[in-house]
């Protein structure tokens, strides 16, 4: 079965021969290589590009280890561009494998040659269209972005969305949801049948690929702390926390002393490997960001469930995580909303309190306030879910997503209530 990642393929097609380096990022095994080496390769063939003009290099395999040296990589690619009047399409997989080296021509230990130097040099070749993939955001860190300036063009690939999963699933949408809810959207999952196969694949992927990669790349001595921290984050998706709270949890429950600075550093490693994302709190009325606490969500819910050995399947938090991922997929920046208001407490004293909106979503001039709720069975629950939305006192669209399949409707305040599957399967569901 071939899963057509049409959204990403169309992005690549639109950037063809635009003079920039196309940088395809995403968590390992999410389908970056398949997108480039299979789907995009086939597209190029379909418009008349012969295979000899498509140069493919996988840096993740041992036989190509030589080209993890940026100078050797540069020599190799240039040696293949033999016909000067023909356009070549250069695909380099896992570019972050290229190591920084000492510049052999300059007697200065601080003078380095990196893959950025190689790519910028290749980009200047008029008959070379450059595409690279990478599995960590090191390649797009602030320093490298500064060096690329306006010469890099990122396409970020995610695991399968629920719509992509359902479009390739032999069954109804309710059965598809049950599978997606537990096993997530790593493309390989769609090809496996039994629970044991899916469970083993996800657990091995987490432990033997992601955790091992993080430990080796960052030279971490204590593997258990990494695993314990991932377990804590897995158990508390959608909950407000910060590095200090997490460090205190280590001390309380694990009897291990870990500094908040170490926890913060390890969380950054997870983010850089695209395993988790964070959502920062935003004061809606004050129009400012609040540093901590914040929320963490997994890039793929199946990986989160595998980390916990599929023991904690709380619908509310998993649903919230999947909605968060879908909003990112649609190109929104997503924050946690905070609405402050004044009121009298039970003693009649004037106090200031905060209410939370699950997601504040921004894209250009678009803004949405979104709440995630399993169900709204009565007026009390409706009041609870709409209280923060109504206190924003602005005209941006407000939405509540519930788990059940319902006909979308609006309440008296104009708040849209929509079913989860309608939201996930209809790209225009936000209106």
């Amino acid at each position: 079965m071939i899963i057509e990642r049409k959204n990403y393929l169309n992005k690549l097609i639109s950037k063809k021969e635009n003079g920039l380096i196309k940088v395809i990022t995403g968590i390992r095994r999410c389908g970056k290589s398949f997108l480039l080496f299979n789907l995009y390769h086939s597209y190029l063939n379909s418009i008349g590009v012969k295979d000899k003009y498509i140069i493919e290099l996988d840096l993740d395999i041992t036989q190509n280890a030589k080209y993890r040296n940026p100078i050797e990589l540069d020599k190799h690619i240039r040696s293949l561009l033999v016909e000067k009047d023909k356009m070549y399409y250069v695909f380099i997989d896992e570019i972050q494998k290229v190591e920084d080296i000492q510049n052999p021509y300059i007697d200065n230990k601080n003078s380095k040659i990196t893959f950025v130097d190689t790519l910028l040099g290749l980009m200047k070749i008029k008959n070379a269209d450059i595409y690279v993939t990478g599995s960590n955001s090191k390649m797009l860190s602030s320093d490298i972005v500064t060096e690329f300036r306006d010469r890099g063009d990122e396409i970020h690939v995610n695991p399968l969305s629920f719509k992509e999963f359902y479009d390739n699933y032999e069954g109804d949408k309710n059965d598809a949801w049950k599978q997606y809810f537990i096993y997530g959207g790593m493309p390989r999952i769609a090809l496996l049948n039994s629970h044991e196969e899916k469970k083993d694949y996800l657990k091995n992927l987490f432990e033997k690929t992601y955790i091992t990669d993080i430990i080796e790349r960052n030279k971490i001595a204590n593997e258990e702390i990494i695993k314990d921290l991932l377990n804590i984050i897995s158990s508390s998706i959608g909950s407000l926390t910060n590095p200090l709270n997490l460090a205190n949890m280590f001390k309380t429950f694990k009897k291990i002393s870990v500094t908040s600075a170490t926890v913060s550093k390890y969380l950054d490693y997870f983010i850089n490997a695209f395993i988790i994302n964070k959502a920062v709190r935003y004061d809606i009325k004050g129009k400012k960001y609040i540093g901590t606490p914040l929320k963490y969500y997994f890039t793929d819910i199946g990986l989160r469930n595998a980390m916990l050995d599929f023991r904690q399947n709380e619908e509310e938090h998993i649903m919230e995580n999947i909605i968060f991922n879908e909003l990112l997929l649609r190109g929104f920046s997503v924050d946690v909303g905070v609405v402050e208001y004044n009121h009298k407490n039970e003693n009649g004293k004037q106090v200031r309190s905060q209410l939370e909106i699950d997601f504040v979503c921004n894209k250009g001039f678009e803004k949405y306030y979104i709440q995630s709720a399993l169900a709204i069975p009565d007026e009390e629950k409706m009041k609870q879910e709409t209280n923060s939305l109504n206190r924003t006192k602005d005209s941006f669209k407000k939405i509540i997503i519930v788990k059940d399949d319902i006909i979308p409707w609006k309440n008296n305040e104009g708040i849209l209530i929509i079913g989860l599957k309608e939201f996930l399967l209809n790209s225009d569901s936000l209106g």
Side-chain angles (χ1 to χ4, degrees):
M1 177 174 64
I2 294 177
I3 300 175
E4 297 182 1
R5 312 298 299 271
K6 292 181 180 179
N7 178 44
Y8 303 113
L9 179 59
N10 289 335
K11 286 182 180 180
L12 276 178
I13 293 170
S14 71
K15 298 174 188 299
K16 176 176 169 284
E17 297 177 32
N18 66 357
L20 302 176
I21 301 162
K22 273 66 71 175
V23 185
I24 305 166
T25 62
I27 190 171
R28 280 178 174 267
R29 306 295 184 265
C30 74
K32 302 182 303 299
S33 302
F34 186 81
L35 170 67
L36 186 58
F37 285 67
N38 294 77
L39 300 179
Y40 191 58
H41 187 129
S42 295
Y43 165 76
L44 291 176
N45 288 159
S46 75
I47 62 171
V49 178
K50 296 179 180 179
D51 282 347
K52 66 178 180 177
Y53 300 119
I54 302 174
I55 298 169
E56 299 181 338
L57 183 66
D58 182 0
L59 294 173
D60 208 21
I61 59 177
T62 305
Q63 69 190 66
N64 290 328
K66 175 181 179 180
Y67 306 119
R68 295 174 192 170
N69 177 308
I71 294 178
E72 294 298 331
L73 175 62
D74 184 75
K75 287 180 184 178
H76 177 64
I77 298 299
R78 289 176 186 272
S79 72
L80 300 175
L81 306 175
V82 293
E83 297 183 44
K84 303 305 179 186
D85 60 339
K86 292 291 186 180
M87 177 62 72
Y88 286 83
Y89 301 88
V90 180
F91 301 169
I92 305 174
D93 201 24
E94 302 295 359
I95 190 67
Q96 80 281 351
K97 291 284 186 179
V98 177
E99 299 283 348
D100 297 354
I101 65 168
Q102 172 70 39
N103 189 332
Y105 308 107
I106 297 177
D107 188 19
N108 181 345
K109 65 180 181 180
N110 294 320
S111 179
K112 301 290 185 181
I113 296 178
T114 72
F115 72 78
V116 175
D117 300 307
T118 299
L119 294 180
L120 292 180
L122 293 174
M123 189 190 73
K124 294 178 181 178
I125 301 173
K126 292 183 179 180
N127 66 325
D129 194 21
I130 312 296
Y131 301 78
V132 300
T133 78
S135 298
N136 68 69
S137 60
K138 167 193 171 186
M139 57 189 296
L140 291 175
S141 68
S142 58
D143 290 342
I144 292 173
V145 168
T146 299
E147 292 186 64
F148 271 133
R149 297 186 181 92
D150 58 350
R151 293 170 286 187
D153 203 344
E154 183 190 8
I155 300 99
H156 185 73
V157 178
N158 299 282
L160 300 178
S161 67
F162 177 62
K163 185 177 189 316
E164 288 178 306
F165 182 85
Y166 175 53
D167 286 345
N168 293 275
Y169 183 78
E170 296 181 1
D172 65 29
K173 64 182 178 182
N174 292 319
D175 287 337
W177 170 251
K178 291 175 185 176
Q179 292 290 316
Y180 191 81
F181 175 88
I182 297 295
Y183 303 113
M186 299 303 286
R188 176 75 178 158
I189 287 295
L191 306 176
L192 301 176
N193 295 314
S194 71
H195 169 72
E196 287 301 317
E197 286 179 308
K198 295 175 183 180
K199 180 189 75 171
D200 290 345
Y201 172 73
L202 289 171
K203 291 185 72 173
N204 287 336
L205 187 60
F206 216 133
E207 293 202 7
K208 296 181 181 178
T209 300
Y210 302 139
I211 293 179
T212 299
D213 189 46
I214 288 171
I215 289 169
E216 291 178 353
R217 184 189 309 148
N218 300 291
K219 298 177 174 59
I220 297 169
N222 193 328
E223 180 178 334
E224 289 307 309
I225 291 179
I226 284 286
K227 290 183 176 180
D228 287 340
L229 182 56
L230 276 168
N231 269 317
I232 293 170
I233 295 296
S234 300
S235 299
S236 57
I237 52 172
S239 300
L240 289 169
T241 189
N242 60 34
L244 180 59
N245 289 343
L246 293 169
N248 288 336
M249 291 180 72
F250 270 98
K251 191 171 184 178
T252 302
F253 299 108
K254 295 288 183 177
K255 309 303 180 187
I256 299 173
S257 180
V258 182
T259 68
S260 60
T262 297
V263 170
S264 180
K265 180 172 64 175
Y266 286 179
L267 290 170
D268 285 341
Y269 293 160
F270 303 154
I271 293 170
N272 288 341
F274 301 118
I275 293 173
I276 63 173
N277 284 299
K278 66 181 178 182
V280 181
R281 293 202 304 163
Y282 180 74
D283 180 350
I284 292 171
K285 291 185 176 179
K287 292 181 169 47
K288 62 183 178 181
Y289 284 98
I290 304 169
T292 59
L294 62 162
K295 293 186 177 184
Y296 294 97
Y297 296 99
F298 269 73
T299 298
D300 180 76
I301 202 66
L303 292 173
R304 175 265 180 189
N305 293 339
M307 191 68 206
L308 296 172
D309 202 23
F310 301 92
R311 292 190 304 270
Q312 296 181 23
N313 298 323
E314 321 89 338
E315 288 186 299
E316 185 174 1
H317 291 147
I318 291 178
M319 174 177 157
E320 186 178 321
N321 198 138
I322 291 171
I323 292 172
F324 175 81
N325 289 343
E326 178 68 22
L327 292 167
L328 291 183
L329 178 65
R330 296 187 187 185
F332 290 99
S333 61
V334 186
D335 304 311
V336 178
V338 175
V339 183
E340 293 190 342
Y341 67 102
N342 296 315
H343 65 104
K344 291 183 179 180
N345 63 15
E346 58 187 15
N347 298 320
K349 184 179 178 181
Q350 195 76 11
V351 295
R352 192 166 185 80
S353 296
Q354 291 182 341
L355 292 171
E356 184 179 294
I357 295 175
D358 289 331
F359 305 120
V360 179
C361 314
N362 290 278
K363 181 168 62 175
F365 295 108
E366 296 179 74
K367 177 180 262 188
Y368 299 92
Y369 300 121
I370 296 178
Q371 293 284 61
S372 170
L374 279 179
I376 306 180
D378 51 41
E379 284 299 318
E380 184 62 30
K381 180 63 173 175
M382 176 64 80
K383 182 178 178 181
Q384 177 186 331
E385 294 296 339
T386 59
N387 196 9
S388 58
L389 297 174
N390 288 329
R391 290 181 183 276
T392 62
K393 303 299 182 184
D394 61 34
S395 59
F396 292 112
K397 193 164 186 177
K398 302 166 180 68
I399 300 165
I400 301 174
I401 301 173
V402 298
K403 181 195 171 187
D404 294 335
D405 292 335
I406 62 170
I407 297 174
W409 62 284
K410 290 185 178 181
N411 68 4
N412 293 334
E413 288 82 25
I415 297 172
L416 173 67
I417 294 88
I418 186 172
L420 175 64
K421 298 183 193 72
E422 169 70 14
F423 164 70
L424 295 173
L425 295 175
N426 180 2
S427 60
D428 297 321
S429 55
L430 296 182

